[in-house]
Amino acid sequence: MLIIFIGYLNSSFSPSIEAATTNSSIDGEITSGEFTLNPPNDLKFQAKLDGKKQKLQLAPIKTKVIDYRGVENGWQIVVKSSNYNDYKASFGLLINGQQISDNSTIIFKQQQQKLIKEATLPTQVMISANAKAGVYGAKLEWNLQPTITNSITE
């Protein structure tokens, strides 16, 4: 019995051990990534004048948009031709159903973020009945723009 009693005394007089608690934090910043438009492919066409309007279906223009901005809203592709006045009397250009001119035109719109989007854009050339023989080329300026979803309320 004596041994049991000594063990009981030792356990009842031992100092109590409490857990120590402290806090820390991990702070960081996540920044927007790449938002780019790959250069669209070039196209060529050939037409023979016959005094009538002609509509030529070309291969599609293809491009890829990479969107690692980390936002929910989408984007749009805008195109204009910097030399429109040089060829407009002879031919017109439709990309994805939109007439291209020297004014910026939205030809593709992605409503929500998509990390990688390959766009295939149907392309047509309309030859004027009064076209003049010659070598022409449309110089296209492509612009990738974020879609702004904020609105002003009054």
Side-chain angles (χ1 to χ4, degrees):
M1 275 294 187
L2 183 59
I3 297 173
I4 295 173
F5 180 70
I6 294 172
Y8 175 75
L9 283 176
N10 282 340
S11 65
S12 64
F13 291 110
S14 64
S16 64
I17 300 174
E18 294 183 26
T21 304
T22 188
N23 296 315
S24 72
S25 66
I26 298 175
D27 297 319
E29 180 182 4
I30 299 174
T31 59
S32 292
E34 186 177 0
F35 183 52
T36 59
L37 173 72
N38 285 5
N41 57 302
D42 294 331
L43 296 176
K44 293 183 183 261
F45 72 91
Q46 202 169 29
K48 188 171 194 169
L49 296 175
D50 62 4
K52 298 177 187 170
K53 286 184 179 180
Q54 299 176 47
K55 184 187 274 187
L56 304 176
Q57 186 70 40
L58 304 182
I61 292 177
K62 295 181 180 183
T63 187
K64 181 170 31 173
V65 174
I66 298 170
D67 183 5
Y68 293 128
R69 295 173 298 155
V71 297
E72 292 293 324
N73 47 337
W75 43 263
Q76 59 194 19
I77 299 173
V78 176
V79 177
K80 73 176 183 176
S81 177
S82 61
N83 68 330
Y84 176 70
N85 291 325
D86 296 343
Y87 63 84
K88 72 179 183 179
S90 294
F91 76 90
L93 186 60
L94 278 173
I95 300 176
N96 206 25
Q98 300 299 313
Q99 180 74 39
I100 305 304
S101 70
D102 52 358
N103 295 316
S104 295
T105 303
I106 298 171
I107 60 159
F108 191 87
K109 198 167 205 167
Q110 178 68 39
Q111 298 295 334
Q112 297 178 341
Q113 181 193 28
K114 186 160 177 101
L115 298 179
I116 297 175
K117 173 66 177 175
E118 292 191 23
T120 301
L121 308 168
T123 306
Q124 294 178 335
V125 172
M126 287 83 53
I127 310 295
S128 168
N130 299 323
K132 303 295 180 204
V135 177
Y136 299 94
K139 294 178 184 172
L140 303 177
E141 294 178 8
W142 298 80
N143 190 340
L144 176 62
Q145 303 173 342
T147 302
I148 308 295
T149 57
N150 297 341
S151 61
I152 299 173
T153 56
E154 295 183 32

